[in-house]
Every structure is written in structure tokens, then in C-alpha cells.
Amino acid sequence: QVQLVESGGGSAQAGGSLRLSCVASGYDNTRRRMAWFRQSPGKEREGITAIATSTGATYYTDSVKGRFTISLDNAKNTLYLHMNRLKPEDTAMYYCAAGSFYLDGRTWNTGKFYTYWGQGTQVTISS
């Protein structure tokens, strides 16, 4: 059983930066993919970036490409999301997720391929 705990959310001005962290405990050696999803009120949850835990391969959705960076510190069992040049439309609840499927370009942003989820951390960006 893996538990994921996010932190680092908060408020920022447009153009600013935030860094989210997700600590994984109860280490599961089949945790092959990790990702960040987000959900805004009235919108569906969307996968925004994912990383393969062994190779470090990454995927990004177009809306965050070039602004957000996902990284993983395996020694600390911690996943990060570095968010730069933030926009008001980045306002959402952000969730960390982990799963045992090998990461691929077709399913990286599909929620059902992730088994474990954090409780979420709110990010609010003002203009």
C-alpha cells in the first residue's frame, strides 16, 4: 500500500512560481509511473505531466509544456512539480498519482492507470 501526501500549494500572482511536492510512503516496488493531475471547479480532472520512475522519461500536456517541470528524487521517494510563469487558468486542485503500469504515450494522462492518489493541494493564481 502506497500513501501519497502533497504539499506546496498556495496562492501566487500570474507570472510567478510554485513548487509542489509529493512524498510517497509505504514504498511499493511496482510503482513504475507517477504523475500530476489537476481539477478545476466544473471541469474534468486532467493529467498534466507524468514520469517513468526508472527511466525518467516524461510527458506533458500542451498547456503546461515549457512552463512546468516534473522531477523525481527516488532517494527521498518524493515527486516534484516545478511551476513557472503561472497563469490564472492554472488555478486548480493538484493531485499526485502513482501506478504500476509502465509509462507510455497513450495512457500517461489517463486516471484509471494510476492506483494511488494523494489528497490534493490547492493552487490559486491571481491576475
Side-chain angles (χ1 to χ4, degrees):
Q1 184 77 11
V2 174
Q3 292 183 325
L4 304 174
V5 179
E6 303 98 333
S7 61
S11 299
Q13 295 281 337
S17 300
L18 286 172
R19 187 185 76 166
L20 305 184
S21 300
C22 170
V23 178
S25 61
Y27 177 73
D28 180 346
N29 63 7
T30 62
R31 180 168 45 91
R32 297 190 175 95
R33 59 165 69 184
M34 296 193 75
W36 290 97
F37 286 73
R38 69 184 180 186
Q39 187 168 22
S40 303
K43 294 187 177 181
E44 291 189 357
R45 182 181 61 190
E46 66 166 333
I48 57 172
T49 181
I51 188 167
T53 58
S54 58
T55 67
T58 58
Y59 292 92
Y60 294 90
T61 193
D62 286 345
S63 63
V64 307
K65 201 172 294 183
R67 300 189 298 122
F68 291 9
T69 302
I70 189 172
S71 64
L72 178 65
D73 187 332
N74 280 316
K76 296 181 179 180
N77 285 333
T78 301
L79 180 73
Y80 299 99
L81 181 64
H82 306 262
M83 305 186 293
N84 298 314
R85 291 185 282 138
L86 285 160
K87 303 176 180 180
E89 50 264 43
D90 295 320
T91 295
M93 185 72 79
Y94 284 70
Y95 298 92
C96 169
S100 61
F101 291 93
Y102 286 106
L103 192 65
D104 68 274
R106 184 177 60 85
T107 67
W108 70 268
N109 58 350
T110 304
K112 69 178 183 180
F113 289 92
Y114 295 85
T115 304
Y116 306 109
W117 294 84
Q119 82 289 350
T121 186
Q122 178 68 35
V123 171
T124 302
I125 309 301
S126 56
S127 57

